[in-house]
Each structure stands twice: as structure tokens, then as C-alpha cells.
Amino acid sequence: MKIEELLDLIHENGIDFFTGVPDSQLKALCDTLYSKYGTTEKHVVAANEGAAVALAAGHYLATGKPALVYMQNSGIGNAVNPICSLINDKVYAIPVLFIIGWRGKPGTHDEPQHIFQGEITTSLLDLLDIETHILTDKTTTEELAAMNNSIKKTLANGRSAAFVVEKNALQTDAKTDFKNGYPISRERAVEVITRNTDNSDVFVSTTGKLSRELYEIREAANEGHEKDFLTVGSMGHSIMIACGIAAQKKERRVFCLDGDGAVLMHTGSLAVCGSHAYPNLVHIVLNNGAHESVGGMPTAAEAIDLLSIAGGCGYKQTYSVQNENDLINTLEKIKTVEGPIFIEVKINIESRGDLSRPTSTPQQNKQAFMEHLKN
């Protein structure tokens, strides 16, 4: 169905405010909202899904109207706390309409990080007392209208409801066209980093295309993958994984290859990292100011000073680079500098359309990485 058809019904419920975290399965919705509203008082790209629920609650308190919160089903975990302890009808009874991309639906092929989440998605929503309606590529206008009539009553009673969206259920002609002018791509930046670090260094890479690019870079160079822990899920937590390794393997430098959206999702981790002052930790944020791995909607990272945040959190050295030569020089400089070190690499939002996925399983990646750390 056309996303405009769904949005027309949503507007009938008095909903005119939209917030959430982008998802590739909801690209039609995200592209339409960005094309229509940009990032304004009508539409906010939240740092994480729990924050989006809280923002929706604030909107309801100010206007008496429910908001729409969109997310991938993996984001339900971030939202559980405010769903249970804030908006539920046993607490404040604040209605929210969710649109949730259903990755890992049972019976469909998907990546390992989505399999278990996909299995429990509808059961989890039932447990959270959220009325659930599933949208497929075969949902008719009449079926959608019936769903919406039920949702209208649910919202009016101070309860929440959700559209769970299967792959290809929503279509649009709108496209997000967010760009920046930086010369270096993420893939090239990752390649430069791996070529200008020591053989004993290990890497933790964030979820999304960055880990896929790191895997392909190793393949192209006929290298193994034992030095890299590829975080295929748990967006925003790679830095804490890296800290856990750095604390126990003090003889190695541990690089966290992170993204701006991931850093914003759990920024408090920077304070923990800085306060513990891991001397062998290097935190590199590839900042394109966008959720490029899931469609390209902008993050807030272009409007804030990540170096000041990292410095204020206790990182001992902070650097920002915008081209390949500066990145190479900075990587050479930090070889004699004690950490924790924070490097922001300003990158463009380009990525290859033919980017493949790792052929090894997460368990194989884990085992090879752990064996490498023992040596």
C-alpha cells in the first residue's frame, strides 16, 4: 500500500507529531516524513527508541493528542522502560501509536541478529499490553480501515497500539536526499585505519554497514577476521564491549569503530569510558551525520560538538579529521599517546550498493576473536 494511505488514516486519529529511530523496513515512512516535515517541530529523529516514547508522552501532555513513534523491532528493548513505567494505562495512561518494522519474521530469511527478536516481536507487544495489527503487502484498504477503527478506540481509552510492518508492505515515491560535502567515505576511512594500526591491535565495530565494510576489507586483503569483533546487533553498545576488552587486555590497543547514530543512542557510555580512563582504548566515530545504514535520515551529530562531549567525559585526547591525510597523521600521532582517545572522522554518506554480508556466523566470529585474544 502507499504510505500516504496509511498516513491519511493516522491523521484522522488526531496524530500530527512523529518521532522515532529509522528502520530500513520502514523506509517508505521515513522518506515520506523527512520529505514532508524534515526535522522540525512536527518530526524529530530521536536518539533512541525509549527517548522517542518519552517525547511522544511530552507531546500528549502538552496537546492532548497522541503521537506516532516508529522503530525497528530491535528497538522495542530500548523502549520497554517508558512503555511499562510511563505510558501504560496503569500509570499515566498516555496513548501512543507505534509503527514497527518486523525484521526476522519467522519463516523469512534475515540476518542472525534479527532472528530471535523476530520470533518474539508480537508476543512481546502483547506482554506490553500494546494492541497489535500486522501490515503485509496484501493488506487491503478495507482491512486497514478496520484496523484503524479499532486503534482509534484504543487510543481514546488511554492505551497504545501498533502497526507491525512486514517487508515491502509500504511503498512511496518519496526519497530522503540528505548529503554532506566530506571527501572520504566510511569504507575508505576504515581501510585507512586498518592499514595504519599495529598488528597487535584489535577492533570492535558497530552494527550496520561499517562491520560489513570491515569484513570486506579483510577479505580483499586476504587477511583473517580474528582481530575484529563485528557487533551485528545491540546498536550503541560497541564502545562498552570495547571497554570490557580493554580492561582485561591491557597489553593491546583496542579500537572501537563506531557511528554517530550509535554514539548518540547511548551517549552516557562515553562518561563511563572516560571516567575509567582505559589507557589502551581508541574510540573512532565515523560521523556522516546520518542513519545511512537504514536509509539516510539525519542524526543530530552534525549540530553538536562530539569532541567537547568526549573531552568533558574524560577522554584524554580528542581529534577531528576530515580527509585521508589528516586521518593517517592522527593515527601515527596516537601511537605514543595514552588513552582513552577519541577521534571523530567526518565522512560522506556514500556506500556501495553491492556491499555483501559476512559469510561466517556470529559464533564463529566470537570464537576466532577470543582465540586471538589468548595469544
Side-chain angles (χ1 to χ4, degrees), residues 135-155:
L135 296 182
T136 76
D137 58 359
K138 295 179 176 60
T139 300
T140 65
T141 298
E142 292 75 19
E143 289 170 336
L144 180 60
M147 294 176 190
N148 194 60
N149 285 335
S150 177
I151 287 172
K152 188 178 297 185
K153 295 174 185 176
T154 298
L155 296 176

Side-chain angles (χ1 to χ4, degrees), residues 38-156:
T39 51
T40 63
E41 70 279 358
K42 292 283 189 182
H43 175 229
V44 175
V45 180
N48 63 59
E49 294 83 0
V53 174
L55 190 58
H59 175 80
Y60 179 82
L61 293 173
T63 65
K65 297 191 292 186
L68 183 143
V69 172
Y70 58 87
M71 65 179 72
Q72 186 181 109
N73 55 345
S74 62
I76 297 172
N78 282 332
V80 165
N81 181 280
I83 287 173
C84 293
S85 62
L86 177 64
I87 67 171
N88 184 267
D89 61 348
K90 293 181 176 64
V91 192
Y92 288 107
I94 295 175
V96 173
L97 177 60
F98 294 91
I99 295 186
I100 300 171
W102 195 357
R103 296 296 303 270
K105 179 193 171 187
T108 64
H109 174 74
D110 214 323
E111 298 308 307
Q113 66 268 30
H114 298 299
I115 293 173
F116 181 61
Q117 184 70 58
E119 291 174 354
I120 66 172
T121 292
T122 55
S123 298
L124 182 56
L125 292 172
D126 288 341
L127 186 63
L128 294 170
D129 196 27
I130 296 175
E131 178 183 310
T132 302
H133 301 271
I134 297 173
L135 296 182
T136 76
D137 58 359
K138 295 179 176 60
T139 300
T140 65
T141 298
E142 292 75 19
E143 289 170 336
L144 180 60
M147 294 176 190
N148 194 60
N149 285 335
S150 177
I151 287 172
K152 188 178 297 185
K153 295 174 185 176
T154 298
L155 296 176

Side-chain angles (χ1 to χ4, degrees), residues 23-335:
D23 170 38
S24 57
Q25 203 127 299
L26 301 179
K27 192 173 189 310
L29 172 67
C30 295
D31 284 349
T32 300
L33 292 177
Y34 187 69
S35 296
K36 188 171 184 179
Y37 301 114
T39 51
T40 63
E41 70 279 358
K42 292 283 189 182
H43 175 229
V44 175
V45 180
N48 63 59
E49 294 83 0
V53 174
L55 190 58
H59 175 80
Y60 179 82
L61 293 173
T63 65
K65 297 191 292 186
L68 183 143
V69 172
Y70 58 87
M71 65 179 72
Q72 186 181 109
N73 55 345
S74 62
I76 297 172
N78 282 332
V80 165
N81 181 280
I83 287 173
C84 293
S85 62
L86 177 64
I87 67 171
N88 184 267
D89 61 348
K90 293 181 176 64
V91 192
Y92 288 107
I94 295 175
V96 173
L97 177 60
F98 294 91
I99 295 186
I100 300 171
W102 195 357
R103 296 296 303 270
K105 179 193 171 187
T108 64
H109 174 74
D110 214 323
E111 298 308 307
Q113 66 268 30
H114 298 299
I115 293 173
F116 181 61
Q117 184 70 58
E119 291 174 354
I120 66 172
T121 292
T122 55
S123 298
L124 182 56
L125 292 172
D126 288 341
L127 186 63
L128 294 170
D129 196 27
I130 296 175
E131 178 183 310
T132 302
H133 301 271
I134 297 173
L135 296 182
T136 76
D137 58 359
K138 295 179 176 60
T139 300
T140 65
T141 298
E142 292 75 19
E143 289 170 336
L144 180 60
M147 294 176 190
N148 194 60
N149 285 335
S150 177
I151 287 172
K152 188 178 297 185
K153 295 174 185 176
T154 298
L155 296 176
N157 289 325
R159 297 178 58 238
S160 295
F163 286 115
V164 176
V165 181
E166 294 186 6
K167 188 176 182 179
N168 298 323
L170 299 176
Q171 305 294 328
T172 187
D173 295 325
K175 293 187 182 298
T176 296
D177 190 28
F178 176 77
K179 297 186 182 299
N180 63 49
Y182 300 114
I184 188 171
S185 69
R186 181 183 51 238
E187 185 169 9
R188 178 57 185 161
V190 172
E191 185 176 12
V192 168
I193 293 165
T194 59
R195 297 295 170 261
N196 290 274
T197 45
D198 296 334
N199 191 52
S200 60
D201 297 337
V202 295
F203 298 83
V204 177
S205 56
T206 191
T207 190
K209 291 183 180 178
L210 194 156
S211 282
R212 292 162 61 186
E213 289 165 343
L214 176 58
Y215 188 91
E216 285 213 348
I217 287 165
R218 299 294 193 196
E219 287 284 292
N222 293 315
E223 297 175 350
H225 303 282
E226 66 280 354
K227 294 194 292 184
D228 309 325
F229 182 81
L230 310 176
T231 313
V232 296
S234 59
M235 180 175 172
H237 294 301
S238 292
I239 183 56
M240 285 290 93
I241 297 171
C243 287
I245 297 167
Q248 300 302 319
K249 296 294 179 180
K250 296 181 175 61
E251 73 284 1
R252 293 180 181 270
R253 284 196 308 175
V254 180
F255 282 75
C256 177
L257 303 182
D258 221 342
D260 53 295
V263 165
L264 291 175
M265 186 165 279
H266 297 294
T267 309
S269 293
L270 274 66
V272 175
C273 175
S275 67
H276 283 271
Y278 303 102
N280 54 330
L281 184 76
V282 182
H283 191 180
I284 301 181
V285 177
L286 288 300
N287 181 7
N288 55 18
H291 287 284
E292 191 271 327
S293 289
V294 288
M297 288 180 70
T299 70
E302 275 289 283
I304 63 174
D305 186 345
L306 289 177
L307 265 63
S308 293
I309 293 171
C313 285
Y315 284 75
K316 291 189 175 180
Q317 301 290 333
T318 62
Y319 307 88
S320 183
V321 300
Q322 299 183 13
N323 60 61
E324 187 171 323
N325 286 337
D326 287 349
L327 177 57
I328 292 170
N329 291 336
T330 300
L331 292 169
E332 184 63 31
K333 184 186 299 182
I334 66 169
K335 288 183 178 181

